[in-house]
Amino acid sequence: VSSMFPFFVLGFLLRKHYVLFKSYVEIMCIVTGTSFILMSLFWDINWTCYRLPIDLLENTWIENAKIFYRLIIGAVGALFIFSLLHIIYEKVEKLRFIKIVNWLGRHTLAIYLIHYFFYWIHALPKCSTGNILMDDFVIAPFYTIIVLAISMGVIKVLKLNPYLAYFSLGERIS
């Protein structure tokens, strides 16, 4: 957990200075993306393990440099992903698909609960062709869309009654 503290601080600072982040998001995406690619060229797979707690005074300077490098490349990668996702979201937020994804995101807990209920009453049939590619790339996405559509319908029905919506979905009673 202590190795995640710098990333918590990074997220806190991005949230606190969101207006500044938003004004420089394109530049930040280019700089951090380029830096991340260049830093990845010098990455060694043996550096991925964190040894906790980190005692900087007892490590050699090489080990401390690796620790610092891991933190920097992690922060640069996180900033790159944050800025890239922000740019993508600004470009596609008006699309109907994004509105559906936002609605699904707001109702994730309800979808999980309804999905579990379907699973519990054995309402979801097993769909397997035996062909891994067919199952993973055709059957599973189709099956997922059907389950999500049914879940969306159940959520809309539950929202018709404010008390059902309150007790099953956590909606406020108005």
PDB file of all heavy atoms in Angstrom, residues 76-100:
ATOM      1  N   VAL A  76       4.643   8.802 -14.952  1.00  0.00           N
ATOM      2  CA  VAL A  76       4.577   9.262 -16.347  1.00  0.00           C
ATOM      3  C   VAL A  76       3.532   8.451 -17.118  1.00  0.00           C
ATOM      4  O   VAL A  76       2.738   9.006 -17.873  1.00  0.00           O
ATOM      5  CB  VAL A  76       5.975   9.180 -17.013  1.00  0.00           C
ATOM      6  CG1 VAL A  76       5.892   9.342 -18.513  1.00  0.00           C
ATOM      7  CG2 VAL A  76       6.903  10.227 -16.418  1.00  0.00           C
ATOM      8  N   GLY A  77       3.526   7.139 -16.903  1.00  0.00           N
ATOM      9  CA  GLY A  77       2.529   6.290 -17.564  1.00  0.00           C
ATOM     10  C   GLY A  77       1.115   6.633 -17.130  1.00  0.00           C
ATOM     11  O   GLY A  77       0.198   6.687 -17.956  1.00  0.00           O
ATOM     12  N   ALA A  78       0.935   6.877 -15.832  1.00  0.00           N
ATOM     13  CA  ALA A  78      -0.394   7.243 -15.329  1.00  0.00           C
ATOM     14  C   ALA A  78      -0.839   8.584 -15.906  1.00  0.00           C
ATOM     15  O   ALA A  78      -1.999   8.728 -16.338  1.00  0.00           O
ATOM     16  CB  ALA A  78      -0.382   7.297 -13.807  1.00  0.00           C
ATOM     17  N   LEU A  79       0.047   9.567 -15.943  1.00  0.00           N
ATOM     18  CA  LEU A  79      -0.302  10.866 -16.532  1.00  0.00           C
ATOM     19  C   LEU A  79      -0.630  10.738 -18.016  1.00  0.00           C
ATOM     20  O   LEU A  79      -1.532  11.395 -18.517  1.00  0.00           O
ATOM     21  CB  LEU A  79       0.837  11.867 -16.331  1.00  0.00           C
ATOM     22  CG  LEU A  79       0.946  12.494 -14.954  1.00  0.00           C
ATOM     23  CD1 LEU A  79       2.216  13.326 -14.845  1.00  0.00           C
ATOM     24  CD2 LEU A  79      -0.274  13.361 -14.674  1.00  0.00           C
ATOM     25  N   PHE A  80       0.116   9.894 -18.710  1.00  0.00           N
ATOM     26  CA  PHE A  80      -0.154   9.674 -20.128  1.00  0.00           C
ATOM     27  C   PHE A  80      -1.549   9.076 -20.323  1.00  0.00           C
ATOM     28  O   PHE A  80      -2.332   9.545 -21.151  1.00  0.00           O
ATOM     29  CB  PHE A  80       0.909   8.762 -20.744  1.00  0.00           C
ATOM     30  CG  PHE A  80       0.593   8.334 -22.146  1.00  0.00           C
ATOM     31  CD1 PHE A  80       0.491   9.265 -23.167  1.00  0.00           C
ATOM     32  CD2 PHE A  80       0.383   7.002 -22.453  1.00  0.00           C
ATOM     33  CE1 PHE A  80       0.187   8.886 -24.468  1.00  0.00           C
ATOM     34  CE2 PHE A  80       0.084   6.610 -23.741  1.00  0.00           C
ATOM     35  CZ  PHE A  80      -0.005   7.549 -24.751  1.00  0.00           C
ATOM     36  N   ILE A  81      -1.882   8.053 -19.532  1.00  0.00           N
ATOM     37  CA  ILE A  81      -3.207   7.418 -19.657  1.00  0.00           C
ATOM     38  C   ILE A  81      -4.312   8.401 -19.278  1.00  0.00           C
ATOM     39  O   ILE A  81      -5.332   8.499 -19.969  1.00  0.00           O
ATOM     40  CB  ILE A  81      -3.274   6.133 -18.805  1.00  0.00           C
ATOM     41  CG1 ILE A  81      -2.320   5.082 -19.342  1.00  0.00           C
ATOM     42  CG2 ILE A  81      -4.689   5.594 -18.732  1.00  0.00           C
ATOM     43  CD1 ILE A  81      -2.608   4.615 -20.752  1.00  0.00           C
ATOM     44  N   PHE A  82      -4.120   9.156 -18.185  1.00  0.00           N
ATOM     45  CA  PHE A  82      -5.124  10.152 -17.781  1.00  0.00           C
ATOM     46  C   PHE A  82      -5.363  11.160 -18.894  1.00  0.00           C
ATOM     47  O   PHE A  82      -6.508  11.458 -19.246  1.00  0.00           O
ATOM     48  CB  PHE A  82      -4.686  10.915 -16.523  1.00  0.00           C
ATOM     49  CG  PHE A  82      -4.712  10.113 -15.268  1.00  0.00           C
ATOM     50  CD1 PHE A  82      -3.909  10.485 -14.204  1.00  0.00           C
ATOM     51  CD2 PHE A  82      -5.526   9.004 -15.108  1.00  0.00           C
ATOM     52  CE1 PHE A  82      -3.916   9.771 -13.024  1.00  0.00           C
ATOM     53  CE2 PHE A  82      -5.542   8.276 -13.945  1.00  0.00           C
ATOM     54  CZ  PHE A  82      -4.743   8.661 -12.893  1.00  0.00           C
ATOM     55  N   SER A  83      -4.289  11.701 -19.449  1.00  0.00           N
ATOM     56  CA  SER A  83      -4.448  12.735 -20.471  1.00  0.00           C
ATOM     57  C   SER A  83      -5.012  12.152 -21.764  1.00  0.00           C
ATOM     58  O   SER A  83      -5.872  12.766 -22.400  1.00  0.00           O
ATOM     59  CB  SER A  83      -3.123  13.457 -20.726  1.00  0.00           C
ATOM     60  OG  SER A  83      -2.119  12.557 -21.106  1.00  0.00           O
ATOM     61  N   LEU A  84      -4.581  10.954 -22.154  1.00  0.00           N
ATOM     62  CA  LEU A  84      -5.098  10.327 -23.366  1.00  0.00           C
ATOM     63  C   LEU A  84      -6.592  10.020 -23.226  1.00  0.00           C
ATOM     64  O   LEU A  84      -7.383  10.307 -24.141  1.00  0.00           O
ATOM     65  CB  LEU A  84      -4.321   9.044 -23.669  1.00  0.00           C
ATOM     66  CG  LEU A  84      -4.718   8.299 -24.941  1.00  0.00           C
ATOM     67  CD1 LEU A  84      -4.399   9.147 -26.167  1.00  0.00           C
ATOM     68  CD2 LEU A  84      -4.015   6.964 -25.006  1.00  0.00           C
ATOM     69  N   LEU A  85      -6.998   9.470 -22.094  1.00  0.00           N
ATOM     70  CA  LEU A  85      -8.413   9.171 -21.882  1.00  0.00           C
ATOM     71  C   LEU A  85      -9.251  10.450 -21.839  1.00  0.00           C
ATOM     72  O   LEU A  85     -10.384  10.465 -22.321  1.00  0.00           O
ATOM     73  CB  LEU A  85      -8.603   8.354 -20.606  1.00  0.00           C
ATOM     74  CG  LEU A  85      -8.105   6.915 -20.678  1.00  0.00           C
ATOM     75  CD1 LEU A  85      -8.288   6.223 -19.339  1.00  0.00           C
ATOM     76  CD2 LEU A  85      -8.786   6.136 -21.780  1.00  0.00           C
ATOM     77  N   HIS A  86      -8.687  11.512 -21.281  1.00  0.00           N
ATOM     78  CA  HIS A  86      -9.404  12.791 -21.246  1.00  0.00           C
ATOM     79  C   HIS A  86      -9.634  13.316 -22.667  1.00  0.00           C
ATOM     80  O   HIS A  86     -10.729  13.776 -23.000  1.00  0.00           O
ATOM     81  CB  HIS A  86      -8.626  13.801 -20.406  1.00  0.00           C
ATOM     82  CG  HIS A  86      -9.348  15.092 -20.223  1.00  0.00           C
ATOM     83  ND1 HIS A  86     -10.373  15.242 -19.331  1.00  0.00           N
ATOM     84  CD2 HIS A  86      -9.207  16.283 -20.846  1.00  0.00           C
ATOM     85  CE1 HIS A  86     -10.827  16.470 -19.392  1.00  0.00           C
ATOM     86  NE2 HIS A  86     -10.135  17.124 -20.301  1.00  0.00           N
ATOM     87  N   ILE A  87      -8.615  13.238 -23.504  1.00  0.00           N
ATOM     88  CA  ILE A  87      -8.738  13.698 -24.888  1.00  0.00           C
ATOM     89  C   ILE A  87      -9.754  12.846 -25.642  1.00  0.00           C
ATOM     90  O   ILE A  87     -10.619  13.376 -26.355  1.00  0.00           O
ATOM     91  CB  ILE A  87      -7.363  13.659 -25.596  1.00  0.00           C
ATOM     92  CG1 ILE A  87      -6.445  14.738 -25.006  1.00  0.00           C
ATOM     93  CG2 ILE A  87      -7.508  13.835 -27.104  1.00  0.00           C
ATOM     94  CD1 ILE A  87      -4.999  14.626 -25.431  1.00  0.00           C
ATOM     95  N   ILE A  88      -9.677  11.533 -25.488  1.00  0.00           N
ATOM     96  CA  ILE A  88     -10.620  10.644 -26.167  1.00  0.00           C
ATOM     97  C   ILE A  88     -12.039  10.929 -25.697  1.00  0.00           C
ATOM     98  O   ILE A  88     -12.971  11.020 -26.507  1.00  0.00           O
ATOM     99  CB  ILE A  88     -10.243   9.166 -25.932  1.00  0.00           C
ATOM    100  CG1 ILE A  88      -8.942   8.839 -26.672  1.00  0.00           C
ATOM    101  CG2 ILE A  88     -11.368   8.226 -26.367  1.00  0.00           C
ATOM    102  CD1 ILE A  88      -8.353   7.483 -26.328  1.00  0.00           C
ATOM    103  N   TYR A  89     -12.221  11.095 -24.388  1.00  0.00           N
ATOM    104  CA  TYR A  89     -13.557  11.342 -23.859  1.00  0.00           C
ATOM    105  C   TYR A  89     -14.137  12.651 -24.390  1.00  0.00           C
ATOM    106  O   TYR A  89     -15.307  12.714 -24.729  1.00  0.00           O
ATOM    107  CB  TYR A  89     -13.544  11.354 -22.335  1.00  0.00           C
ATOM    108  CG  TYR A  89     -14.925  11.524 -21.750  1.00  0.00           C
ATOM    109  CD1 TYR A  89     -15.821  10.472 -21.742  1.00  0.00           C
ATOM    110  CD2 TYR A  89     -15.342  12.747 -21.258  1.00  0.00           C
ATOM    111  CE1 TYR A  89     -17.096  10.617 -21.234  1.00  0.00           C
ATOM    112  CE2 TYR A  89     -16.629  12.917 -20.747  1.00  0.00           C
ATOM    113  CZ  TYR A  89     -17.491  11.842 -20.739  1.00  0.00           C
ATOM    114  OH  TYR A  89     -18.754  11.998 -20.250  1.00  0.00           O
ATOM    115  N   GLU A  90     -13.312  13.701 -24.476  1.00  0.00           N
ATOM    116  CA  GLU A  90     -13.804  14.983 -25.010  1.00  0.00           C
ATOM    117  C   GLU A  90     -14.248  14.857 -26.465  1.00  0.00           C
ATOM    118  O   GLU A  90     -15.171  15.529 -26.883  1.00  0.00           O
ATOM    119  CB  GLU A  90     -12.726  16.053 -24.894  1.00  0.00           C
ATOM    120  CG  GLU A  90     -12.595  16.642 -23.519  1.00  0.00           C
ATOM    121  CD  GLU A  90     -11.621  17.810 -23.491  1.00  0.00           C
ATOM    122  OE1 GLU A  90     -10.759  17.909 -24.398  1.00  0.00           O
ATOM    123  OE2 GLU A  90     -11.716  18.613 -22.562  1.00  0.00           O
ATOM    124  N   LYS A  91     -13.591  13.988 -27.222  1.00  0.00           N
ATOM    125  CA  LYS A  91     -13.919  13.845 -28.636  1.00  0.00           C
ATOM    126  C   LYS A  91     -15.182  13.018 -28.864  1.00  0.00           C
ATOM    127  O   LYS A  91     -15.890  13.224 -29.835  1.00  0.00           O
ATOM    128  CB  LYS A  91     -12.751  13.208 -29.374  1.00  0.00           C
ATOM    129  CG  LYS A  91     -11.464  14.002 -29.264  1.00  0.00           C
ATOM    130  CD  LYS A  91     -10.892  14.295 -30.600  1.00  0.00           C
ATOM    131  CE  LYS A  91      -9.565  14.982 -30.520  1.00  0.00           C
ATOM    132  NZ  LYS A  91      -9.600  16.374 -30.250  1.00  0.00           N
ATOM    133  N   VAL A  92     -15.486  12.073 -27.957  1.00  0.00           N
ATOM    134  CA  VAL A  92     -16.598  11.153 -28.203  1.00  0.00           C
ATOM    135  C   VAL A  92     -17.752  11.297 -27.213  1.00  0.00           C
ATOM    136  O   VAL A  92     -18.713  10.538 -27.298  1.00  0.00           O
ATOM    137  CB  VAL A  92     -16.115   9.679 -28.214  1.00  0.00           C
ATOM    138  CG1 VAL A  92     -15.120   9.444 -29.315  1.00  0.00           C
ATOM    139  CG2 VAL A  92     -15.575   9.262 -26.876  1.00  0.00           C
ATOM    140  N   GLU A  93     -17.687  12.268 -26.297  1.00  0.00           N
ATOM    141  CA  GLU A  93     -18.708  12.344 -25.249  1.00  0.00           C
ATOM    142  C   GLU A  93     -20.104  12.651 -25.779  1.00  0.00           C
ATOM    143  O   GLU A  93     -21.089  12.365 -25.112  1.00  0.00           O
ATOM    144  CB  GLU A  93     -18.315  13.346 -24.173  1.00  0.00           C
ATOM    145  CG  GLU A  93     -18.391  14.795 -24.582  1.00  0.00           C
ATOM    146  CD  GLU A  93     -18.030  15.725 -23.453  1.00  0.00           C
ATOM    147  OE1 GLU A  93     -18.396  15.443 -22.313  1.00  0.00           O
ATOM    148  OE2 GLU A  93     -17.365  16.734 -23.728  1.00  0.00           O
ATOM    149  N   LYS A  94     -20.227  13.203 -26.951  1.00  0.00           N
ATOM    150  CA  LYS A  94     -21.538  13.536 -27.510  1.00  0.00           C
ATOM    151  C   LYS A  94     -22.202  12.344 -28.205  1.00  0.00           C
ATOM    152  O   LYS A  94     -23.376  12.395 -28.526  1.00  0.00           O
ATOM    153  CB  LYS A  94     -21.404  14.687 -28.512  1.00  0.00           C
ATOM    154  CG  LYS A  94     -20.766  15.925 -27.941  1.00  0.00           C
ATOM    155  CD  LYS A  94     -21.719  16.676 -27.040  1.00  0.00           C
ATOM    156  CE  LYS A  94     -21.182  18.020 -26.644  1.00  0.00           C
ATOM    157  NZ  LYS A  94     -20.433  18.086 -25.453  1.00  0.00           N
ATOM    158  N   LEU A  95     -21.445  11.297 -28.468  1.00  0.00           N
ATOM    159  CA  LEU A  95     -21.992  10.140 -29.177  1.00  0.00           C
ATOM    160  C   LEU A  95     -22.995   9.383 -28.305  1.00  0.00           C
ATOM    161  O   LEU A  95     -22.862   9.317 -27.088  1.00  0.00           O
ATOM    162  CB  LEU A  95     -20.866   9.188 -29.596  1.00  0.00           C
ATOM    163  CG  LEU A  95     -19.815   9.749 -30.546  1.00  0.00           C
ATOM    164  CD1 LEU A  95     -18.731   8.721 -30.791  1.00  0.00           C
ATOM    165  CD2 LEU A  95     -20.447  10.154 -31.868  1.00  0.00           C
ATOM    166  N   ARG A  96     -23.985   8.795 -28.931  1.00  0.00           N
ATOM    167  CA  ARG A  96     -25.009   8.027 -28.212  1.00  0.00           C
ATOM    168  C   ARG A  96     -24.383   6.844 -27.468  1.00  0.00           C
ATOM    169  O   ARG A  96     -24.799   6.501 -26.376  1.00  0.00           O
ATOM    170  CB  ARG A  96     -26.073   7.541 -29.185  1.00  0.00           C
ATOM    171  CG  ARG A  96     -27.164   6.757 -28.515  1.00  0.00           C
ATOM    172  CD  ARG A  96     -28.369   6.615 -29.415  1.00  0.00           C
ATOM    173  NE  ARG A  96     -29.324   5.663 -28.945  1.00  0.00           N
ATOM    174  CZ  ARG A  96     -30.147   5.841 -27.921  1.00  0.00           C
ATOM    175  NH1 ARG A  96     -30.097   6.961 -27.249  1.00  0.00           N
ATOM    176  NH2 ARG A  96     -31.000   4.913 -27.562  1.00  0.00           N
ATOM    177  N   PHE A  97     -23.373   6.221 -28.054  1.00  0.00           N
ATOM    178  CA  PHE A  97     -22.706   5.088 -27.428  1.00  0.00           C
ATOM    179  C   PHE A  97     -22.142   5.468 -26.063  1.00  0.00           C
ATOM    180  O   PHE A  97     -22.255   4.714 -25.101  1.00  0.00           O
ATOM    181  CB  PHE A  97     -21.586   4.571 -28.354  1.00  0.00           C
ATOM    182  CG  PHE A  97     -20.719   3.532 -27.720  1.00  0.00           C
ATOM    183  CD1 PHE A  97     -21.188   2.241 -27.548  1.00  0.00           C
ATOM    184  CD2 PHE A  97     -19.445   3.845 -27.283  1.00  0.00           C
ATOM    185  CE1 PHE A  97     -20.395   1.282 -26.965  1.00  0.00           C
ATOM    186  CE2 PHE A  97     -18.638   2.895 -26.691  1.00  0.00           C
ATOM    187  CZ  PHE A  97     -19.116   1.600 -26.538  1.00  0.00           C
ATOM    188  N   ILE A  98     -21.553   6.655 -25.957  1.00  0.00           N
ATOM    189  CA  ILE A  98     -20.971   7.102 -24.692  1.00  0.00           C
ATOM    190  C   ILE A  98     -22.071   7.335 -23.662  1.00  0.00           C
ATOM    191  O   ILE A  98     -21.886   7.049 -22.479  1.00  0.00           O
ATOM    192  CB  ILE A  98     -20.124   8.376 -24.912  1.00  0.00           C
ATOM    193  CG1 ILE A  98     -18.934   8.056 -25.810  1.00  0.00           C
ATOM    194  CG2 ILE A  98     -19.644   8.953 -23.600  1.00  0.00           C
ATOM    195  CD1 ILE A  98     -18.014   6.968 -25.295  1.00  0.00           C
ATOM    196  N   LYS A  99     -23.219   7.834 -24.091  1.00  0.00           N
ATOM    197  CA  LYS A  99     -24.331   8.024 -23.153  1.00  0.00           C
ATOM    198  C   LYS A  99     -24.785   6.690 -22.585  1.00  0.00           C
ATOM    199  O   LYS A  99     -25.098   6.583 -21.395  1.00  0.00           O
ATOM    200  CB  LYS A  99     -25.481   8.762 -23.843  1.00  0.00           C
ATOM    201  CG  LYS A  99     -25.138  10.192 -24.181  1.00  0.00           C
ATOM    202  CD  LYS A  99     -26.270  10.874 -24.896  1.00  0.00           C
ATOM    203  CE  LYS A  99     -25.847  12.291 -25.258  1.00  0.00           C
ATOM    204  NZ  LYS A  99     -26.837  12.987 -26.039  1.00  0.00           N
ATOM    205  N   ILE A 100     -24.808   5.666 -23.417  1.00  0.00           N
ATOM    206  CA  ILE A 100     -25.181   4.324 -22.944  1.00  0.00           C
ATOM    207  C   ILE A 100     -24.133   3.801 -21.972  1.00  0.00           C
ATOM    208  O   ILE A 100     -24.468   3.250 -20.916  1.00  0.00           O
ATOM    209  CB  ILE A 100     -25.364   3.362 -24.133  1.00  0.00           C
ATOM    210  CG1 ILE A 100     -26.575   3.777 -24.963  1.00  0.00           C
ATOM    211  CG2 ILE A 100     -25.510   1.922 -23.665  1.00  0.00           C
ATOM    212  CD1 ILE A 100     -26.711   3.041 -26.271  1.00  0.00           C
TER     213      ILE A 100
END
